[in-house]
Amino acid sequence: MDRATFPLRYTRQIRFPRVGIAGQSKLLAARVVLVGCGALGAGLAEILVRSGVGHLRLVDRDIVDATNLGRQATYTQRDADMGLPKAAALAEHLRSFNPEVEIEPHVADFEAATAPALLDGCQLVLDGTDNLEARYLINDLCVRAGIPWIYGACVGASGMTAVVLPGETPCLRCLFPDPPPLGTLETCESAGIIAPVAALIASLQAGEALKLLCGDTAALRRTLLQVEMWPWRLVELGGAKPTPRADCPACGQRKFEFAEGARAAKAAVLCGRNSVQLRRGNVAGSVDLNALARRLEQHFTVTHNGWVLRVCAEGLDLTLFDDGRALVSGTGDPAVARGVFDRVVGS
Ligand SMILES: [Zn+2]
């Protein structure tokens, strides 16, 4: 394809020599999966679609609500009023930004049983999720299949991102072998979040995605980047050329516990009770309900009777047991139950 046959929208990007005509052709032929369409995901999707990434598959289980509008790019008041699924609403907006690329929305929970099919045929996976279980699952599936993925996370005014090139750079389990104990990490629901840190991390992820899709792997940042925005602090971990760890369960020992479902959460709809039981796969030992109560009671109505912890959030009742089990009452939809659990307790 010569310069004249490209749509005008890519002119400035083609003029940047490290993209050029060759890079733009690769972007238009690219197939990318984005898991999670919240603040990171929506920001990432907009940049990639405007840049001409030819095929973007969106995966998200949530609906748009008013609390998303303070930071999640592209979503509108109408999306929230109509309660549209994020994947569907985002697909509609993205098509209006660039009708020349193909957008494939999936309103679905990203879990071990269904995730491999959602990654089928892709060359890059982008992390726009809000929970660790999904990230460890992405890591297992990508390391097992040799697909690059780009990790991103943010809460409060802090963010973190890394590019995982299986076999070349450390994977998520090289960096953090196991997720932290259940309920110990802050979430955007408990600690809040400011819009610019989500936009910054999404931009950093999108920049590495463009380099990778243009085939300029030598230019990729290979460090784990940690950003504190308020007050400002930037830390890059891993040295000049970090490599995978030989003792890593995933890329060293080829054990894929998250992909095989051994450490996945199990959800069961409780008949006739409008409730879902969640059993987390990550829990080793008992959950410190006292510590969790102290963290959550700053933000929610919490009761703790020594045996179970009850939290009211988003119109639902969560009852947590110290073996990591939870009952979510007020919904019969496992995806809704998982969503509120991950936002409030974290996973
Ligand atoms: Zn690893």
Side-chain angles (χ1 to χ4, degrees):
M1 209 185 275
D2 64 28
R3 190 176 294 267
T5 58
F6 279 101
L8 284 174
R9 70 175 69 236
Y10 308 124
T11 312
R12 299 294 186 276
Q13 187 170 291
I14 289 172
R15 200 159 291 167
F16 179 66
R18 297 193 81 147
V19 175
I21 288 175
Q24 189 64 54
S25 301
K26 287 179 183 158
L27 291 178
L28 289 167
R31 298 182 70 85
V32 175
V33 175
L34 170 64
V35 185
C37 300
L40 289 180
L44 262 166
E46 177 169 349
I47 295 173
L48 296 189
V49 162
R50 289 189 189 277
S51 303
V53 168
H55 187 282
L56 184 63
R57 186 177 296 153
L58 309 173
V59 184
D60 194 281
R61 64 188 174 189
D62 290 330
I63 59 166
V64 183
D65 73 40
T67 67
N68 304 145
L69 300 180
R71 68 191 176 284
Q72 299 191 8
T74 85
Y75 296 117
T76 64
Q77 185 68 51
R78 177 178 166 274
D79 297 334
D81 291 344
M82 292 180 70
L84 293 176
K86 285 184 183 171
L90 184 58
E92 191 183 317
H93 296 308
L94 295 172
R95 289 180 187 126
S96 75
F97 300 152
N98 186 351
E100 289 158 6
V101 302
E102 201 179 331
I103 314 291
E104 187 189 321
H106 291 261
V107 181
D109 208 359
F110 192 78
E111 52 185 338
T114 53
L118 291 166
L119 302 192
D120 195 33
C122 77
Q123 67 194 87
L124 172 64
V125 178
L126 297 171
D127 170 20
T129 68
D130 62 358
N131 71 88
L132 284 173
E133 191 179 325
R135 294 191 179 105
Y136 279 86
L137 177 56
I138 292 173
N139 189 69
D140 264 12
L141 293 170
C142 287
V143 169
R144 189 167 70 181
I147 304 169
W149 73 280
I150 302 179
Y151 160 61
C154 49
V155 67
S158 309
M160 204 183 274
T161 177
V163 180
V164 176
L165 301 173
E168 276 187 57
T169 67
C171 80
L172 185 63
R173 296 200 77 183
C174 292
L175 299 169
F176 309 106
D178 286 292
L182 187 77
T184 54
L185 280 190
E186 291 283 10
T187 69
C188 295
E189 187 95 4
S190 61
I193 179 166
I194 55 168
V197 78
L200 175 67
I201 296 296
S203 289
L204 290 167
Q205 287 177 280
E208 300 306 310
L210 293 183
K211 293 180 202 172
L212 199 144
L213 296 172
C214 286
D216 195 359
T217 51
L220 288 170
R221 196 198 65 249
R222 290 168 187 248
T223 50
L224 172 68
L225 196 68
Q226 293 180 325
V227 183
E228 299 283 341
M229 192 172 245
W230 192 342
W232 176 255
R233 183 165 158 262
L234 181 71
V235 181
E236 259 187 297
L237 300 170
K241 201 168 183 212
T243 50
R245 288 170 45 161
D247 61 349
C248 166
C251 58
Q253 300 167 16
R254 310 290 295 170
K255 283 190 204 152
F256 301 109
E257 301 151 293
F258 293 90
E260 285 156 9
R263 299 186 65 171
K266 307 253 186 316
V269 180
L270 303 181
C271 279
R273 289 181 50 188
N274 199 29
S275 297
V276 175
Q277 174 177 271
L278 299 175
R279 190 180 285 279
R280 315 306 293 184
N282 290 338
V283 178
S286 60
V287 175
D288 185 347
L289 293 180
N290 286 316
L292 188 56
R294 282 195 297 277
R295 181 163 79 74
L296 296 181
E297 67 195 5
Q298 299 168 40
H299 315 288
F300 306 103
T301 305
V302 171
T303 52
H304 183 210
N305 63 12
W307 297 95
V308 297
L309 179 68
R310 295 192 62 185
V311 188
C312 298
E314 302 184 23
L316 301 175
D317 273 328
L318 282 76
T319 304
L320 304 160
F321 300 84
D322 71 358
D323 63 356
R325 200 160 47 87
L327 288 176
V328 182
S329 304
T331 180
D333 184 338
V336 170
R338 282 183 211 270
V340 71
F341 184 93
D342 289 344
R343 284 190 292 275
V344 173
V345 181
S347 70

Short mmCIF file of all heavy atoms in Angstrom, two decimals, residues 139 143 164 166-167 169-176 243-253, ligand 1:
data_model
loop_
_atom_site.label_atom_id
_atom_site.label_comp_id
_atom_site.label_asym_id
_atom_site.label_seq_id
_atom_site.Cartn_x
_atom_site.Cartn_y
_atom_site.Cartn_z
N ASN A 139 -2.31 -13.77 32.48
CA ASN A 139 -0.88 -14.13 32.48
C ASN A 139 -0.69 -15.60 32.13
O ASN A 139 0.13 -15.96 31.28
CB ASN A 139 -0.27 -13.82 33.85
CG ASN A 139 1.24 -13.96 33.85
OD1 ASN A 139 1.94 -13.16 33.23
ND2 ASN A 139 1.75 -14.98 34.50
N VAL A 143 1.18 -16.62 28.72
CA VAL A 143 2.48 -17.29 28.83
C VAL A 143 2.39 -18.68 28.19
O VAL A 143 3.26 -19.09 27.44
CB VAL A 143 2.94 -17.37 30.30
CG1 VAL A 143 4.15 -18.28 30.45
CG2 VAL A 143 3.27 -15.97 30.83
N VAL A 164 4.60 -7.80 29.14
CA VAL A 164 5.02 -9.19 29.32
C VAL A 164 5.21 -9.82 27.93
O VAL A 164 4.25 -9.98 27.18
CB VAL A 164 3.99 -10.00 30.14
CG1 VAL A 164 4.42 -11.47 30.22
CG2 VAL A 164 3.84 -9.41 31.53
N PRO A 166 6.30 -13.27 26.70
CA PRO A 166 6.58 -14.59 27.26
C PRO A 166 7.94 -15.13 26.81
O PRO A 166 8.28 -15.09 25.63
CB PRO A 166 5.44 -15.45 26.73
CG PRO A 166 4.31 -14.48 26.56
CD PRO A 166 4.97 -13.21 26.08
N GLY A 167 8.73 -15.57 27.80
CA GLY A 167 10.06 -16.12 27.51
C GLY A 167 11.15 -15.07 27.40
O GLY A 167 12.33 -15.40 27.43
N THR A 169 10.65 -11.40 28.82
CA THR A 169 10.62 -10.47 29.97
C THR A 169 9.90 -11.18 31.13
O THR A 169 9.20 -12.16 30.91
CB THR A 169 9.85 -9.18 29.62
OG1 THR A 169 8.47 -9.51 29.42
CG2 THR A 169 10.40 -8.49 28.39
N PRO A 170 10.08 -10.67 32.36
CA PRO A 170 9.38 -11.29 33.49
C PRO A 170 7.86 -11.26 33.28
O PRO A 170 7.33 -10.27 32.77
CB PRO A 170 9.78 -10.41 34.67
CG PRO A 170 11.03 -9.71 34.24
CD PRO A 170 10.91 -9.53 32.77
N CYS A 171 7.19 -12.35 33.65
CA CYS A 171 5.73 -12.36 33.58
C CYS A 171 5.17 -11.86 34.92
O CYS A 171 5.93 -11.55 35.84
CB CYS A 171 5.21 -13.75 33.22
SG CYS A 171 5.15 -14.91 34.60
N LEU A 172 3.85 -11.80 35.04
CA LEU A 172 3.26 -11.29 36.28
C LEU A 172 3.66 -12.14 37.48
O LEU A 172 3.90 -11.63 38.57
CB LEU A 172 1.73 -11.27 36.14
CG LEU A 172 0.95 -10.63 37.30
CD1 LEU A 172 1.28 -9.16 37.46
CD2 LEU A 172 -0.55 -10.83 37.12
N ARG A 173 3.78 -13.47 37.30
CA ARG A 173 4.15 -14.34 38.42
C ARG A 173 5.66 -14.32 38.70
O ARG A 173 6.08 -14.73 39.78
CB ARG A 173 3.65 -15.76 38.19
CG ARG A 173 2.13 -15.84 38.14
CD ARG A 173 1.61 -17.23 38.39
NE ARG A 173 1.65 -17.57 39.81
CZ ARG A 173 1.31 -18.76 40.29
NH1 ARG A 173 0.92 -19.72 39.46
NH2 ARG A 173 1.35 -19.02 41.58
N CYS A 174 6.47 -13.87 37.74
CA CYS A 174 7.89 -13.59 38.05
C CYS A 174 7.95 -12.38 38.99
O CYS A 174 8.75 -12.35 39.93
CB CYS A 174 8.66 -13.24 36.79
SG CYS A 174 8.90 -14.56 35.61
N LEU A 175 7.11 -11.38 38.72
CA LEU A 175 7.12 -10.14 39.50
C LEU A 175 6.43 -10.33 40.84
O LEU A 175 6.93 -9.89 41.87
CB LEU A 175 6.42 -9.03 38.71
CG LEU A 175 7.05 -8.66 37.36
CD1 LEU A 175 6.12 -7.76 36.56
CD2 LEU A 175 8.40 -7.98 37.57
N PHE A 176 5.26 -10.96 40.81
CA PHE A 176 4.45 -11.17 42.03
C PHE A 176 3.98 -12.63 41.98
O PHE A 176 2.94 -12.92 41.39
CB PHE A 176 3.23 -10.24 42.04
CG PHE A 176 3.56 -8.79 41.81
CD1 PHE A 176 3.26 -8.17 40.60
CD2 PHE A 176 4.18 -8.03 42.79
CE1 PHE A 176 3.55 -6.83 40.37
CE2 PHE A 176 4.48 -6.70 42.58
CZ PHE A 176 4.18 -6.09 41.36
N THR A 243 14.89 -10.37 33.01
CA THR A 243 14.58 -11.63 32.34
C THR A 243 13.64 -12.46 33.22
O THR A 243 13.53 -12.22 34.42
CB THR A 243 15.87 -12.45 32.09
OG1 THR A 243 16.59 -12.52 33.31
CG2 THR A 243 16.74 -11.81 31.02
N PRO A 244 12.96 -13.45 32.62
CA PRO A 244 12.06 -14.29 33.41
C PRO A 244 12.81 -15.06 34.49
O PRO A 244 14.00 -15.37 34.32
CB PRO A 244 11.48 -15.27 32.37
CG PRO A 244 11.72 -14.64 31.06
CD PRO A 244 12.95 -13.82 31.20
N ARG A 245 12.13 -15.41 35.58
CA ARG A 245 12.75 -16.18 36.67
C ARG A 245 12.62 -17.67 36.39
O ARG A 245 11.53 -18.14 36.04
CB ARG A 245 12.05 -15.86 37.99
CG ARG A 245 12.36 -14.48 38.51
CD ARG A 245 11.47 -14.13 39.67
NE ARG A 245 11.35 -15.24 40.61
CZ ARG A 245 10.93 -15.09 41.86
NH1 ARG A 245 10.61 -13.90 42.31
NH2 ARG A 245 10.83 -16.12 42.66
N ALA A 246 13.71 -18.41 36.60
CA ALA A 246 13.67 -19.87 36.35
C ALA A 246 12.67 -20.55 37.29
O ALA A 246 12.06 -21.56 36.93
CB ALA A 246 15.06 -20.45 36.54
N ASP A 247 12.49 -19.98 38.52
CA ASP A 247 11.59 -20.63 39.46
C ASP A 247 10.16 -20.09 39.38
O ASP A 247 9.33 -20.38 40.24
CB ASP A 247 12.13 -20.49 40.89
CG ASP A 247 12.22 -19.03 41.33
OD1 ASP A 247 12.09 -18.13 40.47
OD2 ASP A 247 12.44 -18.78 42.53
N CYS A 248 9.86 -19.32 38.35
CA CYS A 248 8.49 -18.79 38.21
C CYS A 248 7.53 -19.96 37.94
O CYS A 248 7.81 -20.79 37.08
CB CYS A 248 8.44 -17.80 37.05
SG CYS A 248 6.76 -17.40 36.54
N PRO A 249 6.40 -20.02 38.69
CA PRO A 249 5.47 -21.13 38.47
C PRO A 249 4.98 -21.18 37.01
O PRO A 249 4.80 -22.27 36.47
CB PRO A 249 4.31 -20.83 39.41
CG PRO A 249 4.84 -19.85 40.40
CD PRO A 249 5.95 -19.10 39.72
N ALA A 250 4.76 -20.00 36.40
CA ALA A 250 4.19 -19.99 35.05
C ALA A 250 5.26 -20.16 33.98
O ALA A 250 5.32 -21.19 33.31
CB ALA A 250 3.41 -18.70 34.83
N CYS A 251 6.16 -19.18 33.82
CA CYS A 251 7.07 -19.28 32.68
C CYS A 251 8.28 -20.16 32.97
O CYS A 251 8.90 -20.66 32.03
CB CYS A 251 7.46 -17.91 32.13
SG CYS A 251 8.21 -16.79 33.25
N GLY A 252 8.61 -20.41 34.27
CA GLY A 252 9.71 -21.31 34.58
C GLY A 252 9.26 -22.77 34.63
O GLY A 252 9.74 -23.62 33.90
N GLN A 253 8.26 -23.03 35.49
CA GLN A 253 7.82 -24.42 35.70
C GLN A 253 6.65 -24.84 34.83
O GLN A 253 6.22 -26.00 34.90
CB GLN A 253 7.46 -24.60 37.19
CG GLN A 253 8.63 -24.31 38.12
CD GLN A 253 8.19 -24.18 39.58
OE1 GLN A 253 7.10 -24.59 39.96
NE2 GLN A 253 9.04 -23.61 40.40
ZN ZN B 1 7.13 -15.82 34.96
#
